[in-house]
Protein backbone atom coordinates (compact mmCIF):
# COMPACT_ATOMS: atom_id res chain seq x y z
CA UNK A 1 0.00 0.00 0.00
CA UNK A 2 1.38 3.38 -1.02
CA UNK A 3 1.75 6.03 1.68
CA UNK A 4 -0.21 9.20 0.94
CA UNK A 5 0.96 12.40 2.59
CA UNK A 6 -1.94 14.57 3.75
CA UNK A 7 -0.18 17.96 3.63
CA UNK A 8 2.06 19.31 0.86
CA UNK A 9 3.59 22.19 2.82
CA UNK A 10 3.82 20.96 6.40
CA UNK A 11 7.63 21.12 6.48
CA UNK A 12 7.64 24.68 5.15
CA UNK A 13 4.91 25.90 7.52
CA UNK A 14 6.11 23.98 10.60
CA UNK A 15 9.89 23.54 10.21
CA UNK A 16 10.43 22.69 13.91
CA UNK A 17 7.72 20.03 14.09
CA UNK A 18 8.95 16.80 15.69
CA UNK A 19 9.33 14.01 13.12
CA UNK A 20 6.99 11.67 14.99
CA UNK A 21 4.23 14.31 15.02
CA UNK A 22 4.78 15.11 11.34
CA UNK A 23 4.45 11.45 10.39
CA UNK A 24 1.32 11.02 12.52
CA UNK A 25 -0.28 14.12 10.99
CA UNK A 26 0.63 13.06 7.45
CA UNK A 27 -1.13 9.71 7.94
CA UNK A 28 -4.24 11.09 9.67
CA UNK A 29 -3.38 9.28 12.90
CA UNK A 30 -3.34 12.70 14.62
CA UNK A 31 -5.01 15.97 13.66
CA UNK A 32 -3.86 19.58 13.92
CA UNK A 33 -5.89 22.72 14.46
CA UNK A 34 -5.05 26.37 14.94
CA UNK A 35 -5.64 27.86 18.38
CA UNK A 36 -8.31 30.58 18.29
CA UNK A 37 -6.57 33.28 20.31
CA UNK A 38 -9.57 35.61 20.05
CA UNK A 39 -11.93 33.35 21.95
CA UNK A 40 -12.68 33.97 25.59
CA UNK A 41 -11.98 30.34 26.47
CA UNK A 42 -8.40 30.60 25.18
CA UNK A 43 -7.74 33.76 27.16
CA UNK A 44 -9.05 32.12 30.34
CA UNK A 45 -6.91 28.99 29.80
CA UNK A 46 -3.80 31.19 29.35
CA UNK A 47 -4.25 32.44 32.91
CA UNK A 48 -3.72 28.94 34.32
CA UNK A 49 -1.37 27.46 31.67
CA UNK A 50 1.25 30.09 30.85
CA UNK A 51 2.79 28.19 27.91
CA UNK A 52 -0.47 28.62 25.99
CA UNK A 53 0.30 32.31 25.44
CA UNK A 54 2.71 31.33 22.65
CA UNK A 55 0.61 28.46 21.28
CA UNK A 56 -0.46 28.65 17.66
CA UNK A 57 -1.49 25.02 17.04
CA UNK A 58 -2.70 21.98 18.92
CA UNK A 59 -2.24 18.35 17.92
CA UNK A 60 -4.78 15.82 19.14
CA UNK A 61 -6.34 12.49 18.25
CA UNK A 62 -9.49 12.71 16.13
CA UNK A 63 -10.18 9.05 16.94
CA UNK A 64 -10.86 9.43 20.67
CA UNK A 65 -14.53 9.56 21.54
CA UNK A 66 -15.81 12.67 23.30
CA UNK A 67 -16.57 10.64 26.43
CA UNK A 68 -12.88 9.63 26.64
CA UNK A 69 -11.30 13.06 26.07
CA UNK A 70 -10.36 13.27 29.75
CA UNK A 71 -7.70 10.63 28.99
CA UNK A 72 -6.28 12.42 25.96
CA UNK A 73 -3.08 14.43 25.79
CA UNK A 74 -2.97 17.60 23.67
CA UNK A 75 0.33 18.84 22.22
CA UNK A 76 0.53 22.62 21.86
CA UNK A 77 2.93 24.04 19.27
CA UNK A 78 4.27 27.49 18.48
CA UNK A 79 4.12 29.11 15.00
CA UNK A 80 7.11 27.05 13.81
CA UNK A 81 5.85 23.70 15.10
CA UNK A 82 8.07 23.60 18.18
CA UNK A 83 6.39 21.75 21.05
CA UNK A 84 5.54 24.13 23.89
CA UNK A 85 3.60 21.93 26.30
CA UNK A 86 1.39 18.91 26.76
CA UNK A 87 -1.99 19.38 28.41
CA UNK A 88 -4.25 16.56 29.50
CA UNK A 89 -7.88 16.38 28.50
CA UNK A 90 -8.78 16.30 32.18
CA UNK A 91 -7.32 19.82 32.49
CA UNK A 92 -9.05 21.38 29.47
CA UNK A 93 -11.37 20.76 26.53
CA UNK A 94 -10.57 21.85 22.99
CA UNK A 95 -14.19 22.50 22.07
CA UNK A 96 -14.57 26.17 21.22
CA UNK A 97 -10.81 26.73 21.44
CA UNK A 98 -9.66 25.74 17.95
CA UNK A 99 -10.28 26.51 14.31
CA UNK A 100 -9.08 24.94 11.04
CA UNK A 101 -5.49 25.35 9.83
CA UNK A 102 -6.00 27.38 6.69
CA UNK A 103 -2.27 27.56 6.02
CA UNK A 104 -1.75 23.80 5.60
CA UNK A 105 -2.50 22.59 2.08
CA UNK A 106 -4.03 19.17 1.47
CA UNK A 107 -2.31 17.16 -1.22
CA UNK A 108 -4.28 16.30 -4.36
CA UNK A 109 -3.55 12.63 -3.72
CA UNK A 110 -5.07 12.88 -0.23
CA UNK A 111 -8.15 14.78 -1.49
CA UNK A 112 -8.70 12.11 -4.17
CA UNK A 113 -8.36 9.32 -1.62
CA UNK A 114 -11.03 10.76 0.69
CA UNK A 115 -13.43 11.30 -2.25
CA UNK A 116 -13.23 7.58 -3.00
CA UNK A 117 -14.27 6.57 0.53
Amino acid sequence: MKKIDKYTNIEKELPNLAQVLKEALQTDFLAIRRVDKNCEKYQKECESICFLNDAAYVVYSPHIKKADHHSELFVFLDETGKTLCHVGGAEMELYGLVKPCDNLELSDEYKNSIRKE
Side-chain angles (χ1 to χ4, degrees):
M1 185 173 163
K2 184 181 173 199
K3 179 183 171 262
I4 297 173
D5 283 343
K6 183 174 182 176
Y7 300 108
T8 59
N9 65 338
I10 196 166
E11 290 177 4
K12 178 182 168 222
E13 291 292 320
L14 304 170
N16 294 319
L17 185 65
Q19 185 67 26
V20 67
L21 290 177
K22 183 177 82 172
E23 289 173 9
L25 290 167
Q26 288 287 46
T27 60
D28 255 354
F29 184 73
L30 294 177
I32 187 168
R33 295 287 178 266
R34 188 170 275 285
V35 174
D36 185 356
K37 293 188 174 200
N38 294 321
C39 80
E40 191 175 308
K41 184 176 182 179
Y42 167 77
Q43 293 165 4
K44 184 175 168 93
E45 292 292 349
C46 284
E47 292 172 12
S48 59
I49 306 170
C50 64
F51 288 107
L52 289 184
N53 285 315
D54 297 325
Y57 303 94
V58 62
V59 175
Y60 66 97
S61 173
H63 308 290
I64 294 181
K65 295 176 185 163
K66 186 176 180 177
D68 296 326
H69 275 259
H70 63 277
S71 301
E72 189 170 4
L73 189 64
F74 307 121
V75 181
F76 286 88
L77 311 171
D78 71 7
E79 284 288 345
T80 68
K82 179 182 173 194
T83 299
L84 296 173
C85 64
H86 299 86
V87 179
E91 294 177 65
M92 74 181 321
E93 290 184 357
L94 292 183
Y95 301 104
L97 186 72
V98 296
K99 58 186 180 179
C101 290
D102 53 6
N103 62 320
L104 294 178
E105 299 170 2
L106 295 176
S107 70
D108 289 338
E109 205 173 21
Y110 177 79
K111 288 188 263 188
N112 290 335
S113 74
I114 57 175
R115 283 186 198 127
K116 293 176 184 176
E117 292 178 356

